[in-house]
Amino acid sequence: MATFLYRLGRGAFRRRGLVALLWVALLFAAGFGAASAAAPTSGSFSIPGSEAQKAFDLLDERFPGMAADGATARIVIKAPEGAKVTDPGPKAEVQKIVAGLKSGPGAAEVSSVADPYEAQAVSQDGSTAYISAKYKVSGMELKDDTREALKDSGEGAKAAGLNVQIGGDALMAAPETGSGEIIGIAVAAIVLVITFGSLIAAGLPLLTAIIGVGIGVSSITALANVLDLGNTTATLATMIGLAVGIDYALFIVSRYRVELAEGRERDEAAGRAVGTAGSAVVFAGLTVVIALVGLAVVNLPMLTKMGFAAAGTVVIAVLVALTLVPAILAFAGKRVLPAGEKSRLFGKGKPAGAEKKANGGTRWARFVLRRPVMVLLAGVIGLGVIAVPASKLEMGLPDDGAQPVSTTQRQAYDLLSDGFGPGFNGPLMVVVDGDKAVADTTVDRIKGLDGVVAVTPPTLNEAGDAAVITVIPKDRPSSVHTEDLVHEIRDGSGDDVLVTGATAMNIDFSQKMNDALLPYLALVVGLAFLLLMLVFRSVLVPLKAALGFLLSVVAALGAVVAVFQWGWLGSVFGVEQTGPIMSMMPIFMVGVVFGLAMDYEVFLVTRMREAYVHGERPGQAVVTGFQYSARVVVAAAVIMIAVFSGFIGASEQMVKMIGFGLAVAVFFDAFVVRMAIVPAVLALLGHKAWWLPKWLDRLLPNVDVEGESLRKHLERSADSPEGPDKDRELVNA
């Protein structure tokens, strides 16, 4: 592989114009496709095999149109203190809102509007009422005029002294990341400038990463409606694509500069950089792709599509690093080097090979080698303490109650809770596959359960062979008591009674996530273990990598629980409402963080393996690995943390939580596990770290990430009559 990548990198360097043109053409093609495509929707949501999904399927069959995915809105009206919504004045204002929704702007997209006085949607004390409106399309597909008309529908009532707030998904909009994402990229730029000491070298990883993400996200946008990808897929692909795109380019550029410092010609330096660091990029990218594609094991279409889309962006980032980066290095010339290095490397000043002062990575590695037990214990105990809150993890899906208190959706949620009870925001829909007698029996049984406030009479379909019953729980939708009520209704019923609705779907989704976590973890860690065994020709190094990852991800989950569930430092991170951790958060964090954690493992330990293979003792190999890779790994980690932290400012609670979780996980994994625990363990293991049974060594193919075969190939090429030009002819062929 190293030899192939060497030729690929040098070929891209020499044919820089063609390579750059192809990537720019691909960017424009993807951009044109995205601009021509319809705006992405929120994406369909289904949980194959769950009871809630079976109920929705039955609704589609027996009640055509009832289970449609059209947006819904609840306009909640509360009368002033001392007045009632049933009084003539407030009642007239409420009916104006109803009339405006039926016949005013945007009415063409409205399928139904329920008058609260006819639908018995007035609270017992008469202080609060709500209007239910249903639309023909989803919230993301609503026209802007329709959404604005909904927002303005209560302005007249507000002027009359009524409190009008709007809930439901009709006001759904694409998540906004705010300025945080821009700040994250700016921090990444500063880190790159400090790392390279050159504006050109710093700008190159940013430029190539943006091109790669632009192609990936534009492709996702172009295919969003065709593949039903949903509106959050592009945001997550951007988050991951930016981080890995910058990092992969960073490692190629860094190795290129090292090769130049050793006196190589520029095209030769580019080839060797791609042949060595590029091999690490390929395998690091493969671990990320395995982790993301492995999300398919959960058997949730939404999560599977999200994982495949993000994996596609990672593949593009790898290809950009292997081809576009060396091409742009050819255009940049000497400008990728700091000012002093330019003169030294090209014949002036201090010789390039002169001995240099030990850098920070070297000094840190020597410190760890002197005190490996102390460093190992400090890292493990520290992460263990932070991981403790993870034992109290509660999972669920956010609703309007998790929105910031300043939003109209949250205020509508609170008004409904105050006027009708907390459970009114999460009604349960019970679907009965039977006639009226079966439905009446079901109603009587549910009324006798604890935790039930109200049960509506059954609504039969035209054929009279199915019914729908609405159950209002006593507790809020995300409450454990509501979950217990759902299970109680299901356990006491036969196969002809199914519970669904948003609350039941959330419960089933969380259960699905719990059931899939261990199989997913085993699949991803197992495949990555085999991949790392190929890379490092060792059993203990991949095992140490996997255990270190588990420690960092559990610690990150502990931090997420402390901030988003318990509210510790919540105000610092913009958490206005605490609550359960999103059901998909643990499994998504496992997938993404595992791939990213293996990046650092591959980049850092590959250089140690390279030194060990070339004859250095285990301890010295650790020092050499840190000497050449620590600075770049630290820079890569800071960049990833900056990019992920930028998403903490997002308006969407899911994106905010994932951004925080990934940033914290990268911090723990890079600075505690890879930079402290890894060298400490390798120091304690010595030669045993690189042990591989002889029978297994014979079975495993040699992928040569450390470039030993490339080194021998170049030595043979230099000694042959054709000399190094032989490879040039192969490149030009």
Side-chain angles (χ1 to χ4, degrees), residues 273-358:
V274 176
T276 51
S279 298
V281 166
V282 169
F283 281 95
L286 274 176
T287 58
V288 181
V289 169
I290 287 173
L292 291 171
V293 171
L295 290 171
V297 77
V298 183
N299 192 27
L300 282 174
M302 178 193 70
L303 200 58
T304 299
K305 293 172 184 176
M306 196 178 295
F308 272 87
T313 306
V314 173
V315 171
I316 293 172
V318 172
L319 294 176
V320 165
L322 299 179
T323 57
L324 183 59
V325 168
I328 296 182
L329 285 172
F331 284 116
K334 303 177 184 178
R335 288 169 290 184
V336 297
L337 300 165
E341 293 291 330
K342 294 172 190 175
S343 60
R344 289 198 295 270
L345 292 173
F346 292 91
K348 299 178 182 179
K350 189 177 180 180
E355 184 177 350
K356 295 182 180 180
K357 181 181 177 182

Side-chain angles (χ1 to χ4, degrees), residues 53 63 83 175 242 246 278 299 320 365 372 527 535-536 595 599 649 663 682 705:
Q53 189 61 47
F63 293 86
L242 268 179
I246 293 173
N299 192 27
V320 165
L527 289 175
V535 173
F536 297 127
D599 281 1
L682 291 177
V705 175

Side-chain angles (χ1 to χ4, degrees), residues 221-237:
T221 304
L223 299 172
N225 280 315
V226 177
L227 302 179
D228 192 27
L229 295 178
N231 58 291
T232 58
T233 302
T235 303
L236 296 174

